mmCIF file of all heavy atoms in Angstrom:
data_model
loop_
_atom_site.group_PDB
_atom_site.id
_atom_site.type_symbol
_atom_site.label_atom_id
_atom_site.label_comp_id
_atom_site.label_asym_id
_atom_site.label_seq_id
_atom_site.Cartn_x
_atom_site.Cartn_y
_atom_site.Cartn_z
ATOM 1 N N VAL A 227 -19.301 34.394 -10.777
ATOM 2 C CA VAL A 227 -20.458 33.811 -10.094
ATOM 3 C C VAL A 227 -21.715 33.953 -10.988
ATOM 4 O O VAL A 227 -22.561 33.032 -11.058
ATOM 5 C CB VAL A 227 -20.700 34.499 -8.736
ATOM 6 C CG1 VAL A 227 -21.987 34.019 -8.096
ATOM 7 C CG2 VAL A 227 -19.523 34.217 -7.831
ATOM 8 N N CYS A 228 -21.832 35.048 -11.737
ATOM 9 C CA CYS A 228 -22.987 35.244 -12.629
ATOM 10 C C CYS A 228 -23.137 34.084 -13.587
ATOM 11 O O CYS A 228 -24.240 33.667 -13.984
ATOM 12 C CB CYS A 228 -22.900 36.560 -13.404
ATOM 13 S SG CYS A 228 -23.204 38.014 -12.386
ATOM 14 N N CYS A 231 -24.942 31.380 -11.998
ATOM 15 C CA CYS A 231 -26.231 31.783 -11.350
ATOM 16 C C CYS A 231 -27.344 31.581 -12.383
ATOM 17 O O CYS A 231 -27.288 32.041 -13.511
ATOM 18 C CB CYS A 231 -26.138 33.216 -10.908
ATOM 19 S SG CYS A 231 -27.639 33.848 -10.194
ATOM 20 N N ARG A 233 -30.370 32.769 -12.155
ATOM 21 C CA ARG A 233 -31.382 33.821 -12.185
ATOM 22 C C ARG A 233 -31.426 34.502 -13.588
ATOM 23 O O ARG A 233 -30.390 34.613 -14.241
ATOM 24 C CB ARG A 233 -31.050 34.881 -11.111
ATOM 25 C CG ARG A 233 -31.371 34.401 -9.733
ATOM 26 C CD ARG A 233 -30.908 35.384 -8.704
ATOM 27 N NE ARG A 233 -31.308 34.975 -7.369
ATOM 28 C CZ ARG A 233 -32.468 35.316 -6.759
ATOM 29 N NH1 ARG A 233 -33.320 36.154 -7.398
ATOM 30 N NH2 ARG A 233 -32.778 34.877 -5.589
ATOM 31 N N LYS A 235 -31.308 37.166 -16.341
ATOM 32 C CA LYS A 235 -30.680 38.498 -16.499
ATOM 33 C C LYS A 235 -31.308 39.171 -17.717
ATOM 34 O O LYS A 235 -31.359 38.568 -18.810
ATOM 35 C CB LYS A 235 -29.197 38.374 -16.674
ATOM 36 C CG LYS A 235 -28.517 37.696 -15.493
ATOM 37 C CD LYS A 235 -27.218 37.057 -15.892
ATOM 38 C CE LYS A 235 -26.818 35.918 -15.059
ATOM 39 N NZ LYS A 235 -27.137 34.585 -15.190
ATOM 40 N N CYS A 256 -32.451 38.331 -11.649
ATOM 41 C CA CYS A 256 -31.143 38.781 -11.150
ATOM 42 C C CYS A 256 -31.343 39.777 -9.997
ATOM 43 O O CYS A 256 -32.130 40.751 -10.138
ATOM 44 C CB CYS A 256 -30.401 39.444 -12.302
ATOM 45 S SG CYS A 256 -28.911 40.316 -11.754
ATOM 46 N N LEU A 257 -30.646 39.553 -8.902
ATOM 47 C CA LEU A 257 -30.807 40.452 -7.731
ATOM 48 C C LEU A 257 -30.292 41.846 -8.025
ATOM 49 O O LEU A 257 -30.896 42.854 -7.616
ATOM 50 C CB LEU A 257 -30.062 39.845 -6.534
ATOM 51 C CG LEU A 257 -30.609 38.513 -5.998
ATOM 52 C CD1 LEU A 257 -29.606 37.839 -5.077
ATOM 53 C CD2 LEU A 257 -31.940 38.761 -5.319
ATOM 54 N N LEU A 258 -29.180 41.895 -8.751
ATOM 55 C CA LEU A 258 -28.600 43.217 -9.025
ATOM 56 C C LEU A 258 -29.597 44.082 -9.858
ATOM 57 O O LEU A 258 -29.756 45.275 -9.622
ATOM 58 C CB LEU A 258 -27.262 43.058 -9.774
ATOM 59 C CG LEU A 258 -26.453 44.302 -10.032
ATOM 60 C CD1 LEU A 258 -26.162 45.064 -8.785
ATOM 61 C CD2 LEU A 258 -25.137 43.949 -10.744
ATOM 62 N N CYS A 264 -25.215 42.934 -5.729
ATOM 63 C CA CYS A 264 -24.776 41.520 -5.752
ATOM 64 C C CYS A 264 -23.420 41.525 -6.488
ATOM 65 O O CYS A 264 -23.347 42.010 -7.621
ATOM 66 C CB CYS A 264 -25.795 40.646 -6.474
ATOM 67 S SG CYS A 264 -25.246 38.965 -6.687
ATOM 68 N N GLY A 266 -21.742 39.261 -7.838
ATOM 69 C CA GLY A 266 -21.520 38.189 -8.787
ATOM 70 C C GLY A 266 -20.774 38.524 -10.036
ATOM 71 O O GLY A 266 -19.891 37.783 -10.463
ATOM 72 N N PRO A 267 -21.058 39.694 -10.676
ATOM 73 C CA PRO A 267 -20.340 39.995 -11.940
ATOM 74 C C PRO A 267 -18.853 40.146 -11.750
ATOM 75 O O PRO A 267 -18.116 39.926 -12.732
ATOM 76 C CB PRO A 267 -20.970 41.313 -12.398
ATOM 77 C CG PRO A 267 -22.183 41.538 -11.568
ATOM 78 C CD PRO A 267 -22.020 40.715 -10.315
ATOM 79 N N PRO A 278 -26.817 33.617 -4.234
ATOM 80 C CA PRO A 278 -28.023 33.941 -5.014
ATOM 81 C C PRO A 278 -29.017 32.788 -5.084
ATOM 82 O O PRO A 278 -30.223 33.017 -5.042
ATOM 83 C CB PRO A 278 -27.466 34.237 -6.409
ATOM 84 C CG PRO A 278 -26.056 34.637 -6.206
ATOM 85 C CD PRO A 278 -25.587 33.845 -4.986
HETATM 86 S S1 LIG B 11 -25.614 39.716 -10.266
HETATM 87 FE FE1 LIG B 11 -25.995 38.162 -8.697
HETATM 88 S S2 LIG B 11 -28.113 37.600 -8.915
HETATM 89 FE FE2 LIG B 11 -27.485 38.664 -10.792
HETATM 90 S S3 LIG B 11 -26.887 36.994 -12.175
HETATM 91 FE FE3 LIG B 11 -25.026 37.738 -11.144
HETATM 92 S S4 LIG B 11 -24.859 36.383 -9.371
HETATM 93 FE FE4 LIG B 11 -26.964 36.122 -10.119
#
Side-chain angles (χ1 to χ4, degrees):
V227 173
C228 286
C231 177
R233 285 173 175 270
K235 300 155 208 89
C256 170
L257 294 166
L258 186 55
C264 175

